[in-house]
């Protein structure tokens, strides 16, 4: 749904993101193999409380899968594909999802740090609740992605392409949009909006009047404007 923006005299509009509609099979097959494998194929599997720390699932495909309360510390999932899947309560530091594909995926109440998603493709993805520190999305492509009720500490969108991306009731701390390309990005719903870099790349985003006032000192510094009483 298009929403009226705050700039351009109210003439501009931002297109809303399409949310994923994940419908998992009624009966998932419990994963009991112990370890995931590179280029493995997992269809309709349930990973419940599985410790995947340090494992190598590079290039694996997860289709109609549920990962619940799994440990992902140092898990290598480079080039993996998550399709029509749900990740709930996953936790870990240094998870490698570089150049991965996430399509029609819900990530709920995750507790992650240093996640590598650079060069990845996210399409119709919902990230709801939880906290993600130092999320690396450099050179990634995000289309129809919603961040809702989560905390993102120092997320790096450097060089990424964001299209129809929404931030709803979430906290954005020291976000970096350097060299990013934004189209229909809605930041108005962010409970806290902190931008550390890339202010000049926000032309494809919409913010609220209150957020504009909060960002005024950073904008002034970016433009070299001296503000004195």
């Amino acid at each position: 749904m298009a929403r009226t923006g705050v700039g351009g005299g109210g003439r501009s509009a931002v297109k809303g993101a399409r949310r994923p509609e994940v419908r998992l099979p009624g009966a998932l097959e419990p994963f009991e193999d112990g370890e995931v494998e590179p280029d493995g194929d997992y269809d309709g599997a349930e990973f419940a409380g599985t410790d995947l720390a340090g494992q190598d699932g590079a290039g694996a495909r997860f289709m109609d899968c549920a990962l619940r309360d799994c440990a992902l510390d140092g898990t290598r999932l480079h080039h993996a594909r998550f399709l029509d899947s749900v990740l709930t309560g996953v936790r870990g530091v240094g998870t490698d999802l570089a150049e991965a594909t996430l399509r029609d995926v819900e990530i709920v109440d995750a507790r992650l740090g240093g996640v590598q998603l650079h060069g990845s493709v996210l399409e119709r993805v919902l990230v709801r609740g939880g906290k993600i520190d130092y999320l690396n999305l450099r050179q990634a492509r995000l289309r129809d992605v919603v961040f809702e009720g989560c905390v993102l500490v120092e997320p790096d969108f450097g060089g990424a392409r964001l299209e129809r991306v929404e931030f709803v009731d979430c906290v954005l701390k020291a976000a970096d949009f350097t060299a990013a390309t934004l189209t229909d990005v809605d930041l108005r719903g962010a409970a806290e909006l902190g931008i550390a870099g890339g202010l000049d790349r926000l032309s494809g985003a919409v913010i609220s009047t209150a957020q504009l006032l909060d960002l005024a000192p950073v904008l002034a510094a970016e433009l070299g404007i001296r503000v004195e009483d």
Side-chain angles (χ1 to χ4, degrees), residues 39-226:
D39 298 317
D41 198 350
Y42 305 97
D43 196 339
E46 180 177 25
F47 299 77
T50 308
D51 186 356
L52 300 175
Q55 297 188 21
D56 187 355
R61 184 186 75 109
F62 300 84
M63 176 77 176
D64 291 326
C65 288
L67 281 72
R68 299 188 175 100
D69 302 315
C70 294
L72 299 176
D73 297 275
T75 307
R76 188 167 186 266
L77 294 165
H78 178 87
H79 246 299
R81 290 174 293 162
F82 288 85
L83 311 171
D84 296 288
S85 295
V86 175
L87 289 75
T88 304
V90 295
R91 63 196 184 281
V93 175
T95 309
D96 182 4
L97 283 158
E99 299 181 351
T101 297
L102 282 69
R103 184 174 294 117
D104 291 305
V105 169
E106 294 182 4
I107 302 172
V108 182
D109 294 332
R111 301 286 294 187
L112 299 168
V115 180
Q116 300 301 312
L117 272 163
H118 53 87
S120 59
V121 176
L122 283 68
E123 186 171 356
R124 293 188 300 276
V125 173
L126 169 65
V127 180
R128 186 174 66 239
K131 181 182 180 185
I132 304 178
D133 297 325
Y134 314 114
L135 174 61
N136 183 353
L137 281 163
R138 295 183 67 84
Q139 303 296 327
R141 288 182 291 158
L142 290 75
R143 177 181 292 176
D144 294 312
V145 176
V146 178
F147 296 95
E148 181 177 274
C150 56
V151 177
L152 303 178
V153 178
E154 297 188 30
D156 188 350
F157 297 97
R161 300 180 65 88
L162 288 73
E163 181 180 355
R164 294 194 299 272
V165 176
E166 297 180 19
F167 297 86
V168 182
D169 296 327
C170 64
V171 172
L172 225 62
K173 295 187 176 182
D176 190 351
F177 291 98
T178 301
T181 301
L182 279 59
T183 305
D184 292 317
V185 173
D186 197 340
L187 292 160
R188 289 174 294 180
E192 179 181 329
L193 178 59
I195 298 179
L199 284 168
D200 60 323
R201 309 299 295 186
L202 297 183
S203 60
V206 58
I207 63 176
S208 69
T209 303
Q211 289 170 334
L212 176 60
L213 295 175
D214 290 339
L215 290 173
V218 185
L219 286 167
E222 180 78 11
L223 296 172
I225 301 173
R226 294 175 57 187

